[in-house]
Amino acid sequence: MPETTEAEEMLRGAKLRVTRPRLAVLATVGEHPHADTTSIIAAVRDGFGDVSGQAVYDVLDALTDAGLVRRIQPAGSVARYETRTGDNHHHIVCRSCGSIADVACAVGDTPCLAASEDHGFSIDEAEVVYWGTCPDCSSTPPNTSPKGPKGTHV
Ligand SMILES: [Zn+2]
Ligand SMILES: [Zn+2]
């Protein structure tokens, strides 16, 4: 059974009632940063027994609203969740396998908010997503590329 003490404190700190599904989801997201809902449901069931998928969805919404969990959704990806909130860190996404890593901002707590033109908006968040190829994908070039050296077309 994963450690839930920290999750319990986080729930109390956010004035949320401590329930078993909330503890389970919060601990699971903490252990699997950037996991999508499907993997979170699987991991919750693994570690905590039978919790319904709908319960996990509801808890993720509640935790996101309470600011305990941050939802990120890079273009073309399903929503992913992490417990590293409040620092507005950025993400780097692999175009090939979709793996995601954290990138701290170079300048302070709420970075990149000094837009060159705010169009009269009051800005409270900036989102930066770096795209590229992860080390795993760069070191293992795909051998089924349709544009391979042999020129075979599928
Ligand atoms: Zn990759
Ligand atoms: Zn992150």
Side-chain angles (χ1 to χ4, degrees):
M1 186 122 168
E3 187 59 57
T4 54
T5 318
E6 199 185 334
E8 216 171 307
E9 276 165 21
M10 287 169 74
L11 288 172
R12 294 222 167 86
K15 309 239 181 304
L16 284 181
R17 210 157 50 85
V18 177
T19 66
R20 195 172 144 275
R22 283 176 180 168
L23 286 175
V25 171
L26 198 50
T28 301
V29 174
E31 280 170 23
H32 305 274
H34 312 134
D36 61 18
T37 312
T38 312
S39 3
I40 292 170
I41 292 172
V44 163
R45 286 184 176 152
D46 243 28
F48 297 87
D50 199 29
V51 178
S52 79
Q54 189 58 50
V56 172
Y57 275 102
D58 292 347
V59 169
L60 281 172
D61 275 348
L63 296 180
T64 305
D65 286 349
L68 294 181
V69 161
R70 177 176 168 194
R71 178 190 283 129
I72 56 164
Q73 188 156 16
S77 167
V78 294
R80 290 154 181 278
Y81 297 87
E82 65 187 341
T83 51
R84 182 176 164 184
T85 61
D87 66 352
N88 194 39
H89 66 272
H90 307 317
H91 292 101
I92 186 161
V93 185
C94 176
R95 289 188 191 282
S96 182
C97 70
S99 68
I100 299 180
D102 287 336
V103 181
C105 185
V107 280
D109 291 337
T110 47
C112 308
L113 294 182
S116 57
E117 167 62 83
D118 64 14
H119 298 277
F121 286 56
S122 152
I123 299 173
D124 59 39
E125 184 176 344
E127 188 177 71
V128 175
V129 179
Y130 302 98
W131 294 87
T133 308
C134 76
D136 282 353
C137 291
S138 331
S139 62
T140 53
N143 53 12
T144 53
S145 166
K147 285 179 180 168
K150 298 266 192 273
T152 36
H153 292 93
V154 190

